[in-house]
Each structure stands twice: as structure tokens, then as C-alpha cells.
Amino acid sequence: ANPDLDRPAMSVLLDRDDITFLVDGYLSRLESSNFWQQGVKTAGKPPILAIWPIRNATSQHLDDQMLWLLSSIETALVNTNSVRVVDRSRQEELAREIGIQQGEIFDPSSAQKLGHMLGAQYFFTGKITGNDEKLNKMRRVQYSLFLQVLEIENGLIRFQDQVDRTKAIER
């Protein structure tokens, strides 16, 4: 067994297990961060968060996986009971009204305008990357989920982290 791999894989494509692993890892780091412990947990009322679409920076076509990723992040945040999360369909509707295309790269001025319309204090944004390596008869992919929490009012990064997952198969 190779200790660098998280688990044996049927394929190196990003799947639901991978997304669950990445989101759970990120959320546990977020919840133990100073930002969460001192900013979120001590807030008079739970702050409102909105999730900007996460960018697919892999070479794979991941539409279904990206929807699952967004839903997983949204569900995990709601279930902390420490924040209120803007429903994504409401966010998409308002974004269209002010001319923001979903999937656009995070733009602070558009985000601030949308954030105010949503009543949100923070945006989650980020990307997922994949590094694909082929060696002899082995193919290995390392996925990285990089997320950050941005304060809408001033664009300051309040928390950011990256969680990695490595998969490999023999070809």
C-alpha cells in the first residue's frame, strides 16, 4: 500500500466521496479557526453567508460534481447552526438582475453589490484544481479544494485554507 494515497480508487475522476472528504476537511479547519471561534460564534446573531460559485480549475468537465460541491458546502454550513446561508437560487436570481454571470471569477465590486442585496456579510469563494501525473503504469491525480471567506464590506480575506485528496489507479 502506498501511504501517499488516501484510498484505492476505481477511477481518478472526482466523485462524491472525494467531495465529501474535501468539504469535511475544509469545514473542520474553518470551525476551529480564530475567525469562526471569535468572529462567528461570538456574533450577536448568526452572520449571513453567500456562496459564490466555486471555479473548476481542473482539465475535467465537472458540471455535476461542481453542483454537488456547492450543495455540500451549503448543507455543511447550514448544519453548523452558527451561520445563516443565502439560498443559491435566490442568489442566482439577484445576480442575473445586476448582470453577474454565475461561474464568473469573483469580482469584489460585483460581489459587494450582490452581497448588500442579499444582506450577507461574507462570501465563500474558491476553486478546485487537479494535478494529473502518469508514471509507468500508474496514473495519479491530486485534487485540491481551495476556499476562502471574504468580508463583503471591505473585501478582506477572513479565512482561507486548502484540502487535498490524492487518487491513483494502474493503467
Side-chain angles (χ1 to χ4, degrees):
N2 183 339
D4 294 334
L5 301 179
D6 296 315
R7 68 178 174 85
M10 298 296 287
S11 85
V12 291
L13 296 177
L14 186 70
D15 61 30
R16 287 184 176 196
D17 284 347
D18 302 324
I19 291 169
T20 299
F21 176 89
L22 293 167
V23 170
D24 288 352
Y26 180 84
L27 204 68
S28 70
R29 293 176 188 182
L30 173 64
E31 286 185 284
S32 63
S33 72
N34 285 340
F35 160 70
W36 194 268
Q37 292 301 317
Q38 295 168 11
V40 172
K41 296 291 258 184
T42 61
K45 60 181 181 179
I48 298 174
L49 300 175
I51 303 168
W52 197 269
I54 308 303
R55 190 165 55 95
N56 174 9
T58 71
S59 58
Q60 299 174 33
H61 182 74
L62 297 177
D63 287 351
D64 292 342
Q65 293 92 327
M66 297 308 287
L67 286 174
W68 180 260
L69 175 64
L70 287 170
S71 294
S72 297
I73 292 169
E74 184 178 65
T75 300
L77 287 169
V78 166
N79 290 338
T80 66
N81 292 319
S82 297
V83 293
R84 294 171 291 161
V85 182
V86 175
D87 179 77
R88 282 199 337 272
S89 59
R90 172 83 179 124
Q91 182 177 326
E92 288 169 11
E93 183 184 305
L94 284 174
R96 275 194 305 276
E97 280 179 28
I98 61 172
I100 299 172
Q101 299 296 314
Q102 290 297 302
E104 251 182 43
I105 302 296
F106 187 84
D107 167 48
S109 62
S110 299
Q112 192 173 45
K113 189 173 182 181
L114 181 59
H116 286 302
M117 290 174 74
L118 296 169
Q121 286 89 42
Y122 302 103
F123 262 119
F124 260 69
T125 187
K127 65 183 174 182
I128 189 155
T129 62
N131 183 19
D132 197 340
E133 300 172 345
K134 295 174 179 113
L135 181 65
N136 299 328
K137 292 183 178 187
M138 187 67 67
R139 180 174 176 207
R140 185 176 94 146
V141 178
Q142 180 176 37
Y143 292 101
S144 297
L145 177 63
F146 172 82
L147 294 175
Q148 53 187 189
V149 180
L150 298 169
E151 195 167 340
I152 290 172
E153 196 58 46
N154 52 28
L156 291 176
I157 299 169
R158 296 301 306 271
F159 179 79
Q160 69 181 20
D161 208 338
Q162 174 179 315
V163 179
D164 301 316
R165 177 132 171 126
T166 304
K167 299 173 78 170
I169 58 170
E170 286 191 27
R171 307 187 285 143

